[in-house]
Amino acid sequence: MTGMADEHMSKPDFGQDGFFAVQGLSKTFTKKSWFQPASHIHALRNVSLALSPGRAMALVGESGSGKSTCAKVMAGIYGPSEGRVVYRGRNLIAGKRRADRKVLSSAIQMVFQDPFAALNPAHTIEHHLKRPIRLHGLEQSGLDQKDRISELLELVQLDPEITRRKYPHELSGGQRQRINIARALAVGAEVIIADEPTSMLDVSIRLDILKLLKQLKEEKNIALLYITHDIATARYVAEETAVIYAGQLVEWGPTAAVIDDPQHPYTQLLLAAVPQAGVPFNQSGDRSNGDRVRAAAALDNDRIIEISPGHFVRDCRI
Ligand SMILES: Nc1ncnc2c1ncn2[C@@H]1O[C@H](COP(=O)(O)OP(=O)(O)OP(=O)(O)O)[C@@H](O)[C@H]1O
Ligand SMILES: [Mg+2]
């Protein structure tokens, strides 16, 4: 690997006492079949990362790299094969207590890729916001409840009076995604894990949703994990960026450092695939180089190098 200054062998102390962190997370899926030996997919390998209130981290990688698996373990939807999920100093996985599960289901919220899937076509938007409030025992008296719903809709920049009576099919994809974000806020989300929240939306409104997430992060002090396969968008939202391939983080640090001074060949590959004005798409790298980089990036390698303060890269030789 070239161009590295200030080599350390130190491992990052990611989130030991963090607000919300995962430490040494691994997830193996086992496929069993009557006719063949069981096969194992190592979807996550020793992943550690930490989120802080009012800040965002982008988790970037290609399809199948383990982003959604990481999100689902963080949100308590999957249990990890190994590792810890720590929220305000408590290991939510080891605990498995009712109280811990309740924390996971309210403070840590996911926003999914498909804005329609999470909404029930038979119910109004008002119902969609009332229900999580009731399920989490957060309801207030009648009038306050109405105010609360108006407040939530205003937070996601929708007109409360018009929107509350509508059904999901009467809204655009972007508006529906705003409702999903409002639902996360309704139950008091402190951490939002947004798994490709704009990839199913019209290109013209993607930036608006990213701007909303960025604004909520800042104004509501939300800790945001923004998952994307589009590394260029990390810059809009996230102070930090982590790049994942084949279930392991290959490079992470301040977004500007990772994007402007990428060290790992896989990060360089992702950046080369970003379309640039005047450069025809797909002329930015040959396929055999991509294959070599991916093969090397998939290997287990415990050697982590600190390039500059907070900017880490996993050693990789091709
Ligand atoms: N429930 C599951 N059972 C078995 N294998 C799974 C399961 N979920 C994910 N995988 C496998 O784990 C790996 C990581 O998948 P994951 O969905 O986390 O990737 P991703 O980065 O979110 O991809 P995409 O960008 O396509 O959403 C893939 O090889 C996938 O096939
Ligand atoms: Mg995914």
Side-chain angles (χ1 to χ4, degrees), residues 29 31 41 43 61-70 78 113 196:
F29 292 108
K31 266 198 191 153
I41 298 168
E62 292 170 307
S63 185
S65 57
K67 304 181 299 294
S68 294
T69 304
C70 187
Y78 292 160
Q113 187 174 19
E196 308 217 36

Side-chain angles (χ1 to χ4, degrees), residues 240-294:
E240 283 176 293
T241 290
V243 180
I244 186 170
Y245 182 69
Q248 70 183 348
L249 298 187
V250 297
E251 181 162 3
W252 60 97
T255 297
V258 171
I259 291 185
D260 297 333
D261 189 22
Q263 297 293 319
H264 197 282
Y266 180 71
T267 315
Q268 294 165 358
L269 193 70
L270 286 184
L271 283 159
V274 172
Q276 285 165 13
V279 179
F281 189 60
N282 258 354
Q283 287 194 2
S284 36
D286 66 280
R287 178 173 292 202
S288 63
N289 179 52
D291 291 347
R292 270 200 309 276
V293 168
R294 288 185 183 87

Side-chain angles (χ1 to χ4, degrees), residues 84-95:
R84 290 150 46 92
V85 178
V86 182
Y87 171 70
R88 294 188 184 275
R90 297 214 315 263
N91 180 3
L92 297 177
I93 301 302

Side-chain angles (χ1 to χ4, degrees), residues 96-276:
K96 283 194 179 149
R97 289 175 312 171
R98 260 183 94 125
D100 288 341
R101 282 207 303 274
K102 211 168 165 193
V103 164
L104 262 175
S105 73
S106 60
I108 301 151
Q109 291 290 312
M110 248 184 106
V111 172
F112 294 91
Q113 187 174 19
D114 181 353
F116 208 52
L119 304 176
N120 184 335
H123 292 297
T124 62
I125 299 309
E126 176 156 30
H127 175 94
H128 279 92
L129 294 177
K130 267 186 182 165
R131 196 175 136 79
I133 293 175
R134 193 174 62 238
L135 286 179
H136 286 85
L138 299 170
E139 65 260 83
Q140 297 150 344
S141 65
L143 192 63
D144 290 347
Q145 175 99 323
K146 194 159 181 257
D147 287 350
R148 176 74 180 131
I149 287 167
S150 297
E151 182 191 18
L152 287 165
L153 289 170
E154 271 164 15
L155 271 174
V156 296
Q157 294 150 14
L158 292 172
D159 183 309
E161 287 323 304
I162 295 175
T163 313
R164 65 195 312 143
R165 290 184 195 88
K166 291 207 166 178
Y167 288 85
H169 72 270
E170 298 177 287
L171 302 180
S172 71
Q175 289 171 328
R176 289 194 285 255
Q177 202 57 304
R178 287 173 193 269
I179 299 299
N180 287 319
I181 295 168
R183 287 171 95 195
L185 298 172
V187 295
E190 296 182 10
V191 177
I192 293 184
I193 300 167
D195 189 358
E196 308 217 36
T198 65
S199 62
M200 288 181 73
L201 303 179
D202 199 275
V203 175
S204 63
I205 57 160
R206 288 183 182 174
L207 195 55
D208 294 341
I209 297 292
L210 290 188
K211 278 184 186 154
L212 173 65
L213 287 169
K214 181 177 152 75
Q215 196 175 330
L216 292 172
K217 168 196 85 173
E218 283 156 11
E219 290 172 9
K220 292 275 145 193
N221 218 23
I222 300 285
L224 177 68
L225 184 70
Y226 165 60
I227 294 178
T228 181
H229 55 261
D230 184 359
I231 191 167
T233 60
R235 221 194 272 273
Y236 287 120
V237 207
E239 289 84 359
E240 283 176 293
T241 290
V243 180
I244 186 170
Y245 182 69
Q248 70 183 348
L249 298 187
V250 297
E251 181 162 3
W252 60 97
T255 297
V258 171
I259 291 185
D260 297 333
D261 189 22
Q263 297 293 319
H264 197 282
Y266 180 71
T267 315
Q268 294 165 358
L269 193 70
L270 286 184
L271 283 159
V274 172
Q276 285 165 13

